[in-house]
Amino acid sequence: MTYSVKETFSPSVRALRGVPGAPLPVAPPDPGALAAKVRTLAPSMTRSMQRVAEAVAGDPAGCSHLTVTALAVRTGTSEATVVRTARLLGYPGYRDLRLALAALAAQQATGAPPAVTADIAVDDPLGDVVTKLALEEQQTLADTAAQLDTAQLEAAVGALAAARRIDVYGIAASGLVAQDLAQKLLRIGLIAHAHADPHLAVTNAVQLRPGDVALAITHSGGTHDVIEPLRAAFDRGATTIAISGRADGPVTQYADLVLTTASSRESELRPAAMSSRTSQLLVVDCLFIGVAQRTYEDAAPALSASYEALAHRHSPRANRG
């Protein structure tokens, strides 16, 4: 992973910012998820890579018969671009992508029921859907736990526990996760705020300074509305943390600490925004528990006070006139 790091950041945190361990091998995505994969990753691709991705997603049968050279010619790109695109889509190499394209073409030719997820068909009974989704969620959590760098996590917990102020940035589904983390930290006495509005995020970020923490949540690693405030916070000396599905995404250029997440295979009705939420919430909960452990003497009374302050709202008797 590459970082763009200034020399003035806090050594107590940024000195611990090691390169996360090599990711564990993962299975190539299911052929049925290819179109959704292309839609998810297209914004982070170069224009030439987008042409390759759009070609294979739009005509899997035709592209499955093309050599890497022929596909490069068809898309007006290079062989290297074709290989890079295949790897970005989750395949070890172009040969593996061709096999997936052939399988997808065969699936389309047989008229098999369309996939709602990689393992769930549109006509599956709801009971089967529950079981299959539960298994997918379990696998996503296991994959995230396996690849989570504990040294980076420890450093992030330490930074949050000692922070004067914490800003959390997230958009759309990641914004909901940002709100979850902020409200958890507030309940144990920390000053934390989630910012889903990109303008407010930037105006708050420019007020940060050393001793503050800015945390960005983005599955793609390339969401501009999240990167911009994180960069502003980084430039002003705040400790910056990124929770990202891509360890090499653009957001990591401005992150002192990077916590990577896994996601289950997405498809038409289970997009990345849905699958990534599970892994993001696991990381958020790990951060919260770690901070609560570090600050237990203050966190426990603060948590008790928040429970007591809200108790009357949960008691039917207390609400009776």
Side-chain angles (χ1 to χ4, degrees):
M1 184 191 310
T2 59
Y3 295 87
S4 173
V5 181
K6 55 193 177 185
E7 297 299 327
T8 57
F9 58 74
S10 171
S12 62
V13 174
R14 299 189 182 182
L16 296 176
R17 188 205 57 206
V19 177
L24 296 177
V26 296
D30 186 273
L34 180 60
K37 191 79 171 179
V38 169
R39 284 193 297 274
T40 299
L41 296 177
S44 64
M45 294 180 178
T46 63
R47 184 64 195 115
S48 58
M49 293 176 73
Q50 287 176 359
R51 290 201 298 272
V52 175
E54 290 165 359
V56 298
D59 182 19
C63 291
S64 68
H65 297 292
L66 300 178
T67 63
V68 64
T69 303
L71 183 55
V73 171
R74 175 171 170 172
T75 56
T77 60
S78 65
E79 294 180 7
T81 298
V82 171
V83 173
R84 284 197 298 270
T85 305
R87 290 175 177 169
L88 182 59
L89 291 174
Y91 301 94
Y94 180 62
R95 176 179 176 277
D96 303 274
L97 175 58
R98 283 185 68 184
L99 291 174
L101 293 175
L104 178 57
Q107 183 184 72
Q108 293 174 342
T110 58
V116 174
T117 79
D119 301 310
I120 300 174
V122 72
D123 57 354
D124 273 349
L126 193 55
D128 291 351
V129 170
V130 172
T131 300
K132 292 180 178 180
L133 280 178
L135 290 173
E136 284 194 22
E137 299 285 349
Q138 291 171 16
Q139 188 60 56
T140 298
L141 293 172
D143 290 346
T144 298
Q147 71 180 38
L148 193 58
D149 189 298
T150 54
Q152 299 274 304
L153 182 64
E154 285 277 3
V157 165
L160 290 169
R164 181 189 69 93
R165 167 181 160 185
I166 300 163
D167 277 11
V168 190
Y169 314 125
I171 300 297
S174 294
L176 300 177
V177 179
Q179 292 178 32
D180 182 75
L181 175 58
Q183 68 89 13
K184 280 182 167 71
L185 296 176
L186 279 169
R187 294 194 69 179
I188 59 173
L190 299 184
I191 300 175
H193 301 284
H195 302 286
D197 182 291
H199 292 174
L200 288 176
V202 172
T203 56
N204 277 273
V206 297
Q207 304 302 322
L208 299 180
R209 60 179 186 266
D212 298 329
V213 171
L215 189 151
I217 304 175
T218 164
H219 174 64
S220 68
T223 306
H224 176 74
D225 288 339
V226 168
I227 294 174
E228 187 178 10
L230 192 73
R231 179 178 183 176
F234 181 86
D235 288 342
R236 282 154 182 80
T239 299
T240 52
I241 304 169
I243 298 176
S244 173
R246 288 186 56 193
D248 60 348
V251 72
T252 64
Q253 295 178 29
Y254 309 106
D256 301 319
L257 301 164
V258 179
L259 305 174
T260 55
T261 59
S263 64
S264 58
R265 297 164 292 178
E266 61 266 15
S267 60
E268 191 70 31
L269 296 185
R270 185 178 171 82
M274 183 176 173
S275 60
S276 65
R277 183 190 60 214
T278 299
S279 53
Q280 290 173 346
L281 287 171
L282 173 61
V283 175
V284 160
D285 284 346
C286 289
L287 289 171
F288 169 70
I289 294 299
V291 172
Q293 289 177 320
R294 294 276 186 102
T295 63
Y296 185 77
E297 290 186 1
D298 294 323
L303 193 58
S304 296
S306 68
Y307 278 130
E308 291 174 7
L310 296 173
H312 70 283
R313 295 183 176 273
H314 304 296
S315 172
R317 292 181 180 179
N319 290 331
R320 291 175 184 171

